[in-house]
Amino acid sequence: LKAVILIGGPQKGTRFRPLSFEVPKPLFPVAGVPMVQHHIEACAKVPGVKEILLMGFYQPHEALSRFLVSAQQEFKIPIRYLQEYAALGTGGGIYHFRDQILSGGAEAFFVLNADVCSEFPLQEMLEFRQQHGDAHSFVILGTTANRTQALNYGCIVANADTQEVQHYVEKPSTFVSEIINCGIYLFTPAIFQHIGEVFQRNQQELVLEESSNGWQRAEVIRLEQDVFTALAGSGKLYVYKTDGFWSQIKSAGSAIYASRLYLNQYSKSHPERLAQNKPGGPIIRGNVYIHPTASIDSTAVLGPNVSIGEGVTVGAGVRVRESIVLHGASLHDHTCVLNTIVGWDSTIGRWARVEGTPSDPNPNDPYAKIDSETLFRDGRLTPSITILGCSVTIPAEVVILNSIVLPHKELSRSYKNQIIL
């Protein structure tokens, strides 16, 4: 077995700005560890996974290389980064590197999108495939969404008895099904034949069009629209429905929600990562992750759903809730930080209040997913979490509400519902 994690590239992650300016989105810390580390950990746990390939079109830079070296040491599994020469789509990348994926005689391989958070029921998908379909069938991980939100995802219509996918539509304009695609797949080498057919078809269409940049366009293949739509109803594609947690991480607001889901899971999977109330330590409410190098005053109150990064300083009487504080940030005495991502090396002055509006799914609807809100509605900024880019300085006694502050800004007054450039 192998695993492939699709990490995309620099022109993606626009909804994740200004945080994606400083670090590739897959390395953004969620619940205290880089987003993609949750994927690697899940793959490394599956017996039989011999290699993990990260695939994308980021230039190989220091942060990525450092991360890969430390992940290899921690999980004792070979991890390599394969760089695409251009954005090839979810299917084009794996087709381009098919020799690398199949080397060593891989009998099957997982494909995971990096911008999802999940319990990753990979072992269950393997067992499900043994029970349904044959040795050459493919499995999509699916989950249930409510009727209105399902339109934002790939929708799957499956046979209720066999779970065979009969119909697949990516982001339909009218209601098709409540079962949505989670962006996690189990393939066999036979998938390359189907992707190859799309590639051939693309090439033929380009010959007819004779467009000047045709060579690149034929390589761009989307698994969802180009491959799954054609495979549905052929008896080769099945859906495994999970009841575990799952969410997309498209915007910075969804990172706080994903952090909550992972922190909840830590109580079972990594209790050592959760902070405990200790004499002389800060007051912890709910699930909180604190990096061992952070310095936190004993009168601070943290949680629920708080993640404190490396080298962070938290002063006396500080209150932090539903927030991610990234490495090197400093919260001075009596600040209040709610529903906010505090960027690297940012400083919040004494008695300041930094607050956002959570974009959580509806708690009364078990199948609600997080809405990927547009930044603006009717020409005004949609209230969402507050984001401070890196090295932002907030003076004492000001209030910042529902605002996005770009990196390296030194504010002098309070702001509300603004993007501060």
Side-chain angles (χ1 to χ4, degrees):
L1 288 172
K2 287 196 185 185
V4 177
I5 303 172
L6 306 175
I7 64 172
Q11 76 248 51
K12 292 285 184 357
T14 48
R15 281 183 274 181
F16 213 70
R17 288 177 184 162
L19 301 166
S20 52
F21 289 153
E22 306 306 316
V23 55
K25 184 178 159 186
L27 297 185
F28 181 81
V30 175
V33 301
M35 196 189 290
V36 72
Q37 186 171 320
H38 296 284
H39 298 61
I40 291 174
E41 197 171 311
C43 295
K45 270 191 192 141
V46 178
V49 170
K50 296 282 184 278
E51 184 178 40
I52 298 173
L53 302 170
L54 268 60
M55 209 173 277
F57 51 101
Y58 285 101
Q59 292 298 325
H61 52 48
E62 230 180 306
L64 198 56
S65 313
R66 257 202 324 268
F67 168 71
L68 291 180
V69 170
S70 71
Q72 286 203 85
Q73 289 168 342
E74 185 175 344
F75 299 109
K76 315 255 181 301
I77 189 166
I79 305 173
R80 285 190 297 148
Y81 173 52
L82 302 176
Q83 187 192 352
E84 300 169 10
Y85 59 86
L88 299 179
T90 45
I94 60 173
Y95 188 64
H96 183 70
F97 288 116
R98 58 193 180 279
D99 294 347
Q100 305 264 25
I101 294 171
L102 298 177
S103 68
E107 289 167 26
F109 60 99
F110 291 102
V111 172
L112 303 88
N113 283 299
D115 61 355
V116 298
C117 95
S118 170
E119 262 180 272
F120 300 112
L122 305 180
Q123 189 62 43
E124 291 86 330
M125 287 171 76
L126 278 170
E127 288 160 12
F128 170 84
R129 198 190 62 155
Q130 283 159 358
Q131 293 154 7
H132 297 74
D134 58 20
H136 298 294
S137 54
F138 316 122
V139 182
I140 300 181
L141 183 69
T143 188
T144 313
N146 63 30
R147 287 180 77 100
T148 45
Q149 289 181 317
L151 303 177
N152 302 324
Y153 299 91
C155 293
I156 301 166
V157 179
N159 177 313
D161 300 328
T162 62
Q163 301 306 323
E164 187 211 320
V165 176
Q166 293 168 324
H167 190 50
Y168 183 92
V169 191
E170 186 66 23
K171 296 186 180 153
S173 49
T174 56
F175 177 74
V176 172
S177 162
E178 288 170 347
I179 305 301
I180 59 167
N181 173 3
C182 290
I184 298 169
Y185 317 118
L186 173 57
F187 292 142
T188 63
I191 193 74
F192 292 122
Q193 182 192 336
H194 300 286
I195 302 177
E197 285 164 13
V198 176
F199 179 65
Q200 301 291 337
R201 199 165 61 237
N202 285 358
Q203 275 187 320
Q204 284 161 355
E205 285 171 10
L206 289 168
V207 170
L208 296 174
E209 287 176 31
E210 284 196 331
S211 66
S212 53
N213 60 349
W215 61 273
Q216 194 179 332
R217 295 245 313 277
E219 293 268 75
V220 177
I221 298 168
R222 302 159 305 176
L223 275 177
E224 299 78 15
Q225 293 94 318
D226 301 332
V227 181
F228 294 162
T229 312
L231 275 175
S234 67
K236 294 194 174 74
L237 192 59
Y238 290 80
V239 57
Y240 172 72
K241 285 188 285 211
T242 175
D243 296 326
F245 70 81
W246 178 86
S247 181
Q248 271 186 328
I249 310 180
K250 291 287 189 204
S251 63
S254 52
I256 290 185
Y257 179 61
S259 190
R260 182 189 314 159
L261 297 176
Y262 280 137
L263 287 169
N264 279 342
Q265 191 194 25
Y266 283 174
S267 55
K268 296 195 289 282
S269 63
H270 288 287
E272 76 285 354
R273 284 186 190 166
L274 293 176
Q276 306 296 331
N277 279 303
K278 295 193 183 95
I283 298 158
I284 305 295
R285 295 188 177 156
N287 296 326
V288 174
Y289 167 84
I290 300 174
H291 194 276
T293 58
S295 150
I296 297 177
D297 190 277
S298 61
T299 56
V301 181
L302 309 178
N305 184 20
V306 167
S307 171
I308 303 280
E310 199 177 327
V312 169
T313 315
V314 176
V318 170
R319 178 73 178 101
V320 186
R321 192 176 79 216
E322 297 284 340
S323 297
I324 295 174
V325 183
L326 296 166
H327 72 73
S330 171
L331 313 184
H332 291 185
D333 298 357
H334 307 293
T335 58
C336 181
V337 177
L338 313 173
N339 302 302
T340 295
I341 294 180
V342 179
W344 299 268
D345 301 319
S346 289
T347 305
I348 301 179
R350 298 176 58 149
W351 294 102
R353 183 181 183 91
V354 181
E355 184 176 354
T357 303
S359 47
D360 291 354
N362 176 358
N364 302 319
D365 177 352
Y367 299 128
K369 301 284 172 255
I370 201 153
D371 278 316
S372 52
E373 281 286 345
T374 49
L375 215 46
F376 295 94
R377 196 188 293 138
D378 308 326
R380 298 180 49 194
L381 190 64
T382 314
S384 74
I385 70 155
T386 287
I387 303 168
L388 309 182
C390 80
S391 304
V392 167
T393 305
I394 306 262
E397 299 182 28
V398 303
V399 178
I400 308 292
L401 288 179
N402 296 331
S403 295
I404 295 172
V405 186
L406 264 69
H408 309 291
K409 288 277 160 261
E410 205 161 308
L411 304 188
S412 54
R413 60 180 180 86
S414 296
Y415 287 92
K416 179 182 177 187
N417 297 342
Q418 291 202 33
I419 295 182
I420 301 153
L421 304 169

